[in-house]
Amino acid sequence: MTFYNIIFGILFLGACQAVLLSLNREIDTGLITLVALMIFNDAVNTAEAVEERKFDYTIGMKLIDLASFLVLATTLILLSENTKNFLDAPIYSSLPEWIRHPSVPPALLLVYCGLVAGWNRASKDIWKRSEWPWYLIASVIAIVIALLVLVGLRPSRLAHSTAYALVTGIAVLGTLGYLVSYSFIKKEQTGSD
């Protein structure tokens, strides 16, 4: 069992727990679902790259995975608000007020997207590709734009529930597109070597 299996396994179980708990409470089920999907996406793509494609998994990539874990864990804790979180630690109310601002969870997801880009850059096997397919680029653009909009929209999500749900749905669809298209790019890359 590798490093990322452990940290993303913990995160994925925590995200699933948060999604299930959010169904009975007045918390942000859509954004929690997006986080769970991003965690699943990361675990699948990392497993594909490291275990199946045998790409090098360097210390730099492991450090980026650890930073990703911290960012995603913080996001899950913030989205769980005063309910049970995956660490089963009542820490939400003791966090500084600025980090509990409604804009912080989607902003942290933007930081996570930057970490994913850094992880891809750190992988000589992934980064050496000279051309990225349009569908992968479109998925990334959709995710980033949706998250930028969510940073501004989340504080007033109750007043703009339809727009908020639509933008969250776009981020979810972009993440699904990334999952599928990233798998194709790896196959194209290894097929051309």
Side-chain angles (χ1 to χ4, degrees):
M1 182 166 289
T2 59
F3 180 71
Y4 70 88
N5 287 120
I6 296 167
I7 62 176
F8 283 99
I10 292 167
L11 269 177
F12 186 68
L13 290 174
C16 290
Q17 176 192 39
V19 169
L20 293 174
L21 289 172
S22 74
L23 296 174
N24 290 344
R25 296 188 172 90
E26 294 286 325
I27 55 179
D28 200 342
T29 302
L31 200 57
I32 292 172
T33 302
L34 175 62
V35 174
L37 185 58
M38 286 181 161
I39 292 166
F40 176 73
N41 189 356
D42 201 322
V44 167
N45 283 322
T46 302
E48 174 72 12
V50 175
E51 294 173 7
E52 299 299 320
R53 304 287 179 216
K54 306 293 187 208
F55 290 174
D56 287 338
Y57 188 47
T58 65
I59 190 71
M61 294 164 75
K62 290 175 186 174
L63 291 173
I64 292 170
D65 277 342
L66 181 59
S68 294
F69 172 84
L70 295 173
V71 168
L72 292 169
T74 302
T75 305
L76 282 175
I77 289 168
L78 292 174
L79 289 172
S80 296
E81 296 178 3
N82 284 318
T83 64
K84 180 181 175 104
N85 62 57
F86 80 102
L87 296 174
D88 204 19
I91 60 173
Y92 181 82
S93 59
S94 63
L95 295 171
E97 191 170 323
W98 65 267
I99 201 165
R100 291 185 283 157
H101 190 276
S103 293
V104 172
L108 285 173
L109 292 179
L110 282 168
V111 169
Y112 167 72
C113 288
L115 289 168
V116 170
W119 193 93
N120 287 333
R121 178 68 178 102
S123 171
K124 64 178 175 55
D125 298 302
I126 295 171
W127 194 254
K128 71 180 178 183
R129 187 166 176 83
S130 62
E131 185 177 313
W132 295 83
W134 67 268
Y135 46 85
L136 181 65
I137 294 168
S139 294
V140 170
I141 290 170
I143 294 166
V144 170
I145 290 173
L147 288 173
L148 285 169
V149 171
L150 289 174
V151 167
L153 192 57
R154 190 162 191 271
S156 61
R157 70 184 181 275
L158 298 177
H160 301 93
S161 58
T162 303
Y164 185 76
L166 177 66
V167 175
T168 304
I170 290 168
V172 166
L173 289 175
T175 303
L176 287 170
Y178 184 86
L179 173 65
V180 172
S181 63
Y182 199 75
S183 298
F184 286 135
I185 194 170
K186 289 177 185 168
K187 290 178 183 175
E188 290 172 7
Q189 178 180 352
T190 56
S192 65
D193 286 343

